[in-house]
């Protein structure tokens, strides 16, 4: 299936991934009564946070993210990726994302998937801000000729 203007888009794979993310969030909420926010689970798994899901669950969830990607990559033949030649954009981007996650009391998975599905006003606002920031960043990068 080809989307107009997006010759390399893979909508069926995106749909399947979205369904799996939603299913895992629903299972975690229904089984444990906890939100499947990756930043909170990462903080719990590393010992930065004492609250939230049991630490063993948090560790299993965080380890399962790259293991699931590795499994699918092995089964489907890999995914082509490119990274900047310098590590600085990745380092700066990672620090900004971490700061924003703490400032916003959660990440896109916690607010965008779990909070929005529960109609949380705070999550709806946070997700709108994530999206607006992303749109503005892309627009600025395009105007500046960096994208």
């Amino acid at each position: 299936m080809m989307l107009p203007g997006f010759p390399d888009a893979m909508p069926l794979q995106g749909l399947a991934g979205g369904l799996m993310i939603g299913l895992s969030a629903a299972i975690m909420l229904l089984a444990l009564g906890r939100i499947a926010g990756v930043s909170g689970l990462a903080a719990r798994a590393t010992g930065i946070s004492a609250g939230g899901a049991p630490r063993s669950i948090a560790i299993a969830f965080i380890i399962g993210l790259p293991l699931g990607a590795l499994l699918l990559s092995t089964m489907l033949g890999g995914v082509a990726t490119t990274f900047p030649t310098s590590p600085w954009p990745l380092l700066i981007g990672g620090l900004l994302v971490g700061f924003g996650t703490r400032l916003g009391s959660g990440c896109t998975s916690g607010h965008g998937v779990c909070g929005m599905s529960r109609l949380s006003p705070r999550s709806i606002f946070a997700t709108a801000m994530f999206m607006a920031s992303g749109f503005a960043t892309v627009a600025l990068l395009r105007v500046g000729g960096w994208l």
Side-chain angles (χ1 to χ4, degrees), residues 4-147:
F6 299 95
D8 297 325
M10 298 186 298
L12 295 179
Q13 290 88 338
L15 175 64
L19 289 172
M20 287 189 283
I21 291 169
L23 180 63
S24 68
I27 289 171
M28 189 148 182
L29 184 61
L30 293 172
L32 298 175
R34 298 289 181 187
I35 298 298
V38 175
S39 63
L41 289 166
R44 180 69 178 126
T46 58
I48 295 172
S49 172
R55 190 161 189 211
S56 60
I57 297 291
I59 290 170
F61 194 97
I62 295 302
I63 290 173
L65 291 172
L67 286 182
L70 178 65
L71 176 67
L72 283 176
S73 177
T74 301
M75 289 173 37
L76 301 177
V79 176
T81 59
T82 59
F83 294 97
T85 55
S86 168
W88 290 108
L90 296 175
L91 181 64
I92 293 168
L95 290 172
L96 288 172
V97 167
F99 176 74
T101 298
R102 295 302 273 176
L103 182 66
S105 298
C107 59
T108 53
S109 59
H111 286 300
V113 175
C114 301
M116 295 263 303
S117 65
R118 294 180 302 114
L119 300 177
S120 164
R122 183 176 80 158
S123 291
I124 292 169
F125 179 78
T127 303
M129 292 297 102
F130 297 151
M131 296 300 293
S133 297
F135 296 153
T137 300
V138 169
L140 288 172
L141 289 174
R142 286 194 176 171
V143 166
W146 297 303
L147 186 65

